[in-house]
Amino acid sequence: MKSLAELEAIRKATINRINLRTEDDSTTTRVVVGMATCGIAAGARPVMLAFMDEIAKRQLSNVTVSQTGCIGMCRLEPMVDVIVPGQDKVTYVHVKPEMVERIVDDHIIHGHPVHEFTIGANE
Amino acid sequence: MDNYRAHVLVCGGTGCSSSGSATLIERFHEKIAENHLEKEVKVVRTGCFGLCEAGPVVIIYPDGTFYSRVKPDDVEEIVTEHLLKGRKVEHLVYVDHATREQNAEKKLEDITFYKHQHRIALRNCGVIDPENIDEYLAMDGYKALEKALTQMTREEVIDEILKSGLRGRGGGGFPTGLKWKFTYQSQADQKYVACNADEGDPGAFMDRSILEGDPHAIIEAMAIAGYAIGASQGYIYVRAEYPIAVKRLSIAIEQARDYGLLGKNIFETGFDFDLNIRLGAGAFVCGEETALMHSIEGKRGEPTARPPFPAVKGLFDKPTMLNNVETYANVAQIILHGAEWFAAMGTEKSKGTKVFALGGKINNTGLVEIPMGTPLRTIIYDIGGGCPNGKKFKAVQTGGPSGGCLPESLLDTPVDYDNLIAAGSMMGSGGMIVMDEDNCMVDIARFYLDFIVDESCGKCAPCRIGTKRMKEILDRIVEGKGEEGDIEKLERLAETIKATALCGLGNTAPNPVLSTLRFFRDEYEAHIKEKRCPAHHCKSLLQYKIDPAKCRGCTACARVCPADAITGTVKNPHVIDPSKCLKCGSCMEKCRFGAISRE
Ligand SMILES: Cc1cc2nc3c(=O)[nH]c(=O)nc-3n(C[C@H](O)[C@H](O)[C@H](O)COP(=O)(O)O)c2cc1C
Ligand code: SF4
Ligand code: SF4
Ligand code: FES
């Protein structure tokens, strides 16, 4: 037997789990990790897993993690695009798992891109 | 970690299950494990997505990539390319029938098949895992029950359903709110709610798909109905031949009990309600309400005369409120969003949406849900993609064995209860079968009558004997033995049966004959007077002939004929012996010179 409050808690938790099926682009932040052969070789998988961990840990809804193929700048891999609705896409390069916490905290939660990690600072 | 980055939705609906989606699911689990993705990717078995034609269907989120006709051997590629490296497997991506585009980044709503649809009854089908109550809860599940029990009086609930204009989706179109009100007004120590999931129309699978894809929606609605009319017990009558529906429903009932959404003192409001499943043996007449209730009581599934109506004296002689599955599927949404929201959709007297099972000679067979008032033409051409192989549309059948066939000239009819009746057919429960130029309308009428003759319970003479007599006449006509006066005999029998049969099965049984007589009378006349089937369908009326001027004597036809009906020597014209010919058509297919024709 569940109380009304417990049911509401289940709803909230489950929405976080399944919103990637129902969310529309206007409210969802997308984290896109370059995962072609070059990206994987450069260590993209641990980066992607770090993003997933961080997002789960902070119970963020409205954030999806997906991958994309090679974008032709293999020397900058692992690369990660973060697209916050209503803002320009930000591309991070040479991403390492240690950098993920700051990107999630500063950029995804507080809306301030971490400039020193971006493609602009590295080119 | 409970947070997956990708969900693989595999359709577990009727169509896709029969084309092997269970194997796909196993294969996905295997390949995902091999690639160590089990913590990142979740596999979900859903109900029908609607586009059964393209099945088995797999959708991958968050991208929303729609893969069609996926075979077990394709799974490895999807896992290693799409799920591991983020590259779509282009050759499996669904191609839109109208735009010829692939749905690369598109949302489902942008696919032509879905664009004209509005999903209320099917809202969760293909979206959630029907065996997981939490996912239903996340889609605002059981919020309507909470609202009804904690914020609304019983009268207010009934009033909301009345004002919404919802009408019975089981075929009759009786105003649902009125039925609730009548049962509410009946005084008794015990009342029941019941759900009709018998769905016996040939070609119909709407109700089954709702139960398979979103069983909690029915449970929630029945609990709301129980509260409104004052019932503490409900029964769902399902065909035993629908094992997936029965299984998911049983799981859902268990989960709801577990969460205290069924049982004693729900939400601590003092309201008790529980549900049981009753299995039907699959007789069409058991879908009729009085027969259905007798069957639940363990008696023979035979209709009895009404009145008394079930609202007064139903199950176990107690007031009973019976609704169809799809009717219930709208209830929680109406309570949640209000009667005005619902009544804003549809036509003056038919509100909301209707689910149809599109089948027959149509490109996109599947499940569609359209706002009432959508023209038949939109359903058949825009959503259904028209007839396959460039064939010409001839007729559309709605209402199953109780309904009728409408011709091309009526395709602009906006679909609702009253328009379809005015046009000469009826809404029925939602089977919609498309016929093309190769279908013989006399034979179609015979098919439905044949179904009725088999399914008549035999209790009353007009239905038992009358439909058999009609069938005998139709048999003669398609065999080329029709006589002058047959049409008039059919019409007379039809009127008598309609007027005197005991239950709805018999009352409506002549409709397919009457509607084809009305719109395709010339086909009947061609069979009777000219011994000719205009659709070249009725074998007895076909004659295969070889044109001696075109025949080169290649002997191809003689060699393929299974009946040795073709004689002739090399390089000389061949001849078919009509007394031996089985009309299989093989010779016509084989002849490279177009010398063989049929009349
Ligand atoms: C022969 C016959 C078969 C029927 N079969 C069904 C059926 O399979 N499913 C259904 O919901 N209603 C069926 N009906 C209609 C039911 O008798 C009843 O009207 C309906 O279940 C009421 O629910 P509704 O008002 O929500 O449509 C059938 C009626 C007749 C006469
Ligand atoms: S009309 Fe047909 S099915 Fe209905 S009671 Fe009579 S015999 Fe039985
Ligand atoms: S239709 Fe079939 S049976 Fe008849 S002649 Fe041709 S091949 Fe033989
Ligand atoms: S059964 Fe899979 S789409 Fe209908």
Side-chain angles (χ1 to χ4, degrees):
Chain A
M1 174 104 173
K2 302 260 189 261
S3 69
L4 287 177
E6 283 169 317
L7 288 177
E8 197 50 38
I10 293 175
R11 275 194 194 105
K12 283 234 170 68
T14 315
I15 288 170
N16 280 348
R17 280 205 295 108
I18 69 171
N19 69 356
L20 81 178
R21 288 179 226 161
T22 51
E23 240 10 88
D24 60 286
D25 297 341
S26 58
T27 57
T28 311
T29 294
R30 288 169 54 208
V31 177
V32 184
V33 185
M35 285 284 272
T37 315
C38 53
I40 294 177
R45 272 192 64 79
V47 170
M48 185 182 69
L49 295 176
F51 269 106
M52 290 172 58
D53 266 339
E54 200 60 34
I55 289 163
K57 205 157 65 193
R58 294 165 185 263
Q59 300 195 343
L60 299 181
S61 57
N62 299 345
V63 183
T64 65
V65 179
S66 58
Q67 333 103 301
T68 184
C70 178
I71 10 185
M73 292 189 278
C74 312
R75 67 195 168 80
L76 297 176
E77 294 283 1
M79 295 174 47
V80 175
D81 286 341
V82 174
I83 306 144
V84 177
Q87 296 182 16
D88 287 341
K89 170 172 96 179
V90 175
T91 302
Y92 295 104
V93 298
H94 298 308
V95 182
K96 295 186 183 49
E98 306 85 83
M99 294 150 68
V100 168
E101 193 180 338
R102 265 191 71 197
I103 297 177
V104 170
D105 198 60
D106 290 8
H107 188 174
I108 296 179
I109 297 182
H110 294 103
H112 309 301
V114 189
H115 287 292
E116 59 201 271
F117 299 164
T118 62
I119 190 163
N122 282 267
E123 266 297 62
Chain B
M1 192 169 23
D2 201 13
N3 223 346
Y4 297 90
R5 66 173 163 84
H7 289 188
V8 177
L9 272 62
V10 183
C11 176
T14 309
C16 295
S17 291
S18 64
S19 51
S21 66
T23 325
L24 287 185
I25 292 176
E26 276 171 33
R27 202 58 77 84
F28 267 111
H29 283 299
E30 255 170 52
K31 294 292 162 193
I32 285 171
E34 272 174 32
N35 289 281
H36 309 292
L37 295 172
E38 55 280 60
K39 292 211 171 100
E40 302 165 40
V41 178
K42 183 184 169 82
V43 181
V44 184
R45 177 206 296 255
T46 70
C48 174
F49 289 110
L51 240 178
C52 314
E53 175 64 28
V57 172
V58 173
I59 301 186
I60 298 191
Y61 287 104
D63 328 34
T65 311
F66 192 110
Y67 289 122
S68 59
R69 300 207 175 85
V70 179
K71 290 181 288 307
D73 289 342
D74 296 326
V75 169
E76 177 158 12
E77 195 177 356
I78 295 179
V79 172
T80 55
E81 284 296 301
H82 190 147
L83 294 173
L84 197 60
K85 296 185 190 152
R87 287 198 292 240
K88 293 185 173 55
V89 183
E90 299 290 346
H91 68 101
L92 294 174
V93 174
Y94 172 71
V95 180
D96 192 302
H97 71 84
T99 60
R100 296 274 133 216
E101 280 170 18
Q102 286 194 316
N103 109 306
E105 289 284 302
K106 278 207 227 167
K107 294 245 168 277
L108 280 193
E109 303 88 81
D110 297 331
I111 295 179
T112 310
F113 178 77
Y114 293 103
K115 203 156 55 188
H116 301 272
Q117 299 196 45
H118 189 93
R119 299 184 134 214
I120 298 172
L122 297 177
R123 59 192 284 273
N124 288 333
C125 288
V127 179
I128 62 169
D129 175 355
E131 297 184 10
N132 185 332
I133 188 173
D134 292 355
E135 294 202 358
Y136 179 71
L137 283 166
M139 307 301 285
D140 291 339
Y142 291 103
K143 270 194 182 166
L145 179 63
E146 177 187 329
K147 182 173 173 186
L149 291 188
T150 60
Q151 297 165 35
M152 297 168 82
T153 63
R154 299 164 59 193
E155 295 77 10
E156 279 168 351
V157 171
I158 292 171
D159 207 43
E160 203 67 30
I161 300 295
L162 257 179
K163 278 196 304 205
S164 74
L166 176 65
R167 292 168 67 175
R169 302 294 193 239
F174 190 81
T176 305
L178 268 187
K179 205 187 266 189
W180 288 32
K181 189 169 167 185
F182 290 151
T183 327
Y184 160 80
Q185 286 166 342
S186 290
Q187 300 295 327
D189 53 344
Q190 172 75 57
K191 298 182 194 177
Y192 297 102
V193 293
C195 174
N196 190 339
D198 193 53
E199 193 166 59
D201 287 15
F205 55 96
M206 305 75 53
D207 296 344
R208 177 210 305 219
S209 298
I210 293 173
L211 289 179
E212 289 177 357
D214 197 15
H216 284 286
I218 305 306
I219 298 175
E220 181 176 11
M222 290 184 75
I224 294 171
Y227 169 69
I229 67 154
S232 58
Q233 174 65 43
Y235 292 97
I236 304 177
Y237 188 81
V238 197
R239 296 196 155 214
E241 295 124 85
Y242 292 180
I244 305 178
V246 173
K247 176 177 158 233
R248 300 219 174 120
L249 203 49
S250 315
I251 294 174
I253 290 176
E254 273 315 312
Q255 291 173 339
R257 281 184 190 144
D258 225 39
Y259 277 21
L261 298 161
L262 288 175
K264 295 262 178 256
N265 196 14
I266 298 172
F267 300 142
E268 295 179 18
T269 56
F271 171 60
D272 304 338
F273 187 76
D274 207 353
L275 272 179
N276 287 100
I277 299 176
R278 285 287 178 273
L279 297 184
F284 181 62
V285 75
C286 286
E288 194 278 336
E289 55 187 18
T290 57
L292 179 144
M293 290 191 267
H294 295 314
S295 180
I296 291 181
E297 292 166 354
K299 302 189 192 131
R300 273 181 76 124
E302 278 183 359
T304 41
R306 298 172 306 181
F309 285 93
V312 177
K313 202 170 163 206
L315 270 176
F316 309 107
D317 290 339
K318 303 291 182 190
T320 302
M321 212 280 304
L322 175 73
N323 276 142
N324 161 265
V325 173
E326 189 188 335
T327 313
Y328 279 125
N330 287 292
V331 165
Q333 295 305 304
I334 293 172
I335 296 297
L336 219 48
H337 303 295
E340 281 98 54
W341 163 81
F342 191 79
M345 286 171 282
T347 60
E348 195 195 338
K349 290 194 181 132
S350 304
K351 302 301 187 186
T353 60
K354 178 77 192 85
V355 181
F356 286 99
L358 256 188
K361 306 282 184 65
I362 184 112
N363 273 311
N364 295 333
T365 53
L367 262 200
V368 306
E369 179 170 357
I370 43 109
M372 295 275 190
T374 304
L376 283 167
R377 194 182 295 283
T378 306
I379 305 177
I380 292 166
Y381 287 97
D382 298 333
I383 300 175
C387 300
N389 308 320
K391 295 277 185 181
K392 204 167 158 316
F393 169 90
K394 187 189 267 184
V396 54
Q397 215 280 349
T398 59
S402 312
C405 297
L406 301 180
E408 165 87 39
S409 61
L410 290 173
L411 278 188
D412 291 314
T413 308
V415 170
D416 75 5
Y417 292 101
D418 313 287
N419 286 332
L420 282 181
I421 289 176
S425 183
M426 65 182 273
M427 181 80 91
S429 60
M432 186 178 280
I433 298 178
V434 176
M435 287 141 201
D436 71 6
E437 55 188 310
D438 294 339
N439 287 109
C440 165
M441 299 314 285
V442 183
D443 196 50
I444 293 288
R446 192 175 72 123
F447 166 81
Y448 283 107
L449 210 53
D450 194 40
F451 178 84
I452 292 292
V453 169
D454 277 351
E455 295 288 341
S456 165
C457 80
K459 186 165 174 176
C460 71
C463 173
R464 184 182 70 241
I465 303 169
T467 56
K468 205 174 245 152
R469 287 286 296 121
M470 287 181 79
K471 163 95 178 354
E472 285 161 9
I473 297 174
L474 288 176
D475 282 343
R476 274 201 285 113
I477 295 177
V478 299
E479 281 162 18
K481 297 178 195 143
E483 297 158 9
E484 208 55 54
D486 274 351
I487 293 183
E488 292 70 21
K489 259 190 226 157
L490 282 173
E491 284 172 333
R492 243 180 295 131
L493 276 164
E495 290 314 323
T496 314
I497 298 169
K498 266 176 98 110
T500 55
L502 175 62
C503 85
L505 189 149
N507 297 142
T508 56
N511 286 352
V513 176
L514 289 175
S515 80
T516 46
L517 270 173
R518 177 164 161 196
F519 297 115
F520 303 94
R521 204 179 187 92
D522 53 327
E523 289 198 27
Y524 281 82
E525 284 168 351
H527 281 76
I528 296 171
K529 295 189 182 137
E530 302 162 34
K531 308 294 176 214
R532 185 173 68 81
C533 172
H536 303 301
H537 172 89
C538 296
K539 283 201 171 163
S540 315
L541 300 179
L542 279 183
Q543 276 255 33
Y544 283 84
K545 279 200 181 120
I546 300 178
D547 180 349
K550 287 189 187 159
C551 176
R552 305 273 189 91
C554 75
T555 75
C557 60
R559 274 179 281 135
V560 76
C561 175
D564 284 331
I566 305 182
T567 50
T569 50
V570 185
K571 298 212 172 125
N572 289 311
H574 283 47
V575 194
I576 298 176
D577 177 353
S579 68
K580 284 188 182 165
C581 173
L582 306 170
K583 297 162 188 175
C584 71
S586 310
C587 54
M588 192 166 137
E589 262 171 44
K590 209 73 196 178
C591 181
R592 284 180 292 134
F593 308 103
I596 305 181
S597 62
R598 55 174 193 198
E599 243 325 297

